Amino acid sequence: MAQPISTQPEIPAILPGRKLASAIALGAVAFGALVVAGALALWFHYGTAVFFEMIASGISACF
């Protein structure tokens, strides 16, 4: 009995690169949330004037 010849390759249900991209995106979101949480913690601890002064002095130290 003859069987049909398949011209299309089978595609796996779960692509391995998709898991890696998802993990990288999740890590980036977690890092961003950590940075925002740290900035808010500094803001509430030191107040707005000192917070902005620290940011300005850090930027001026870079240039």
Side-chain angles (χ1 to χ4, degrees), residues 33-47 51 54:
L34 186 65
V35 168
V36 169
L40 286 174
L42 287 173
W43 185 301
F44 286 122
H45 182 67
Y46 292 112
F51 179 78
M54 288 172 49

Side-chain angles (χ1 to χ4, degrees), residues 1-48:
M1 195 171 201
Q3 295 183 356
I5 299 174
S6 176
T7 58
Q8 297 177 354
E10 293 184 22
I11 300 173
I14 299 174
L15 299 174
R18 191 168 187 155
K19 282 186 176 182
L20 179 62
S22 177
I24 291 172
L26 183 62
V29 168
F31 179 72
L34 186 65
V35 168
V36 169
L40 286 174
L42 287 173
W43 185 301
F44 286 122
H45 182 67
Y46 292 112
T48 58

